[in-house]
Amino acid sequence: MRPGIALIGLLVCMLSGIWILCVGSPAQAATTERIVVNRFSGVAIEGFDPVAYFVAGTAVQGTAEYEANLWGAVWRFRNEGNRASFLAHPEVYGPQFGGYDPVDIARGVIIAGNPRFFAIAAQRLYLFSREANRDGFAANPERFLYEVGKRWPALQDKLSQ
């Protein structure tokens, strides 16, 4: 999309009073990157510790004290052990599909996942744009992953290198 068209779209959103529906929260993740990052800080998955989902079973905020740079993103962890585990096996601990919502990918669109809405399936982390997507995925992950497998390569090509 040309920058002028995008600006007009944002102005229409602002004038119509649906700004939050058009752009989401002010710290919205970029959807032109292969990994979901905060467009201002470069921090992946809003600074949540990707290993903590597996270890603690919940979303835990990482700290700047324990950071790592990988795949063009800054990852934060709650401790050195989680950082070391991630760096040893990023393909296991990193969110699948770069942190984009697999339910939306299955529908043919790329929407950043919210690290507060997650599921672990087949020992992999998935992030979702909303709770309903997470619940639908959890009920039948194989169905969504089959569809994602067909759509993800083409959608991924649309993301910047």
Side-chain angles (χ1 to χ4, degrees), residues 120-138:
I120 295 178
Q123 300 179 350
R124 295 296 186 263
L125 173 63
Y126 299 92
L127 304 179
F128 302 89
S129 61
R130 53 185 209 254
E131 208 168 357
N133 284 8
R134 180 200 56 206
D135 296 345
F137 178 89

Side-chain angles (χ1 to χ4, degrees), residues 75-95:
W75 300 85
R76 290 191 174 161
F77 307 90
R78 70 179 183 167
N79 58 47
E80 181 57 36
N82 285 6
R83 181 182 179 280
S85 293
F86 177 83
L87 290 173
H89 300 287
E91 73 286 354
V92 171
Y93 294 112

Side-chain angles (χ1 to χ4, degrees), residues 97 101-107 137 142-153 155:
F97 312 112
D101 185 329
V103 173
D104 290 322
I105 293 169
R107 293 180 182 131
F137 178 89
E142 295 83 15
R143 180 183 125 223
F144 288 103
L145 292 176
Y146 174 76
E147 289 298 320
V148 168
K150 293 189 303 187
R151 295 182 186 259
W152 180 238
L155 292 172

Side-chain angles (χ1 to χ4, degrees), residues 63-82:
T63 67
E65 181 180 357
Y66 303 108
E67 285 187 348
N69 291 300
L70 184 67
W71 301 325
V74 176
W75 300 85
R76 290 191 174 161
F77 307 90
R78 70 179 183 167
N79 58 47
E80 181 57 36
N82 285 6

Side-chain angles (χ1 to χ4, degrees), residues 17-41:
I18 57 170
W19 173 257
I20 197 71
L21 293 175
C22 295
V23 299
S25 65
Q28 180 181 1
T31 56
T32 58
E33 303 294 332
R34 291 189 181 261
I35 302 291
V36 176
V37 297
N38 178 290
R39 68 182 68 192
F40 302 109
S41 68

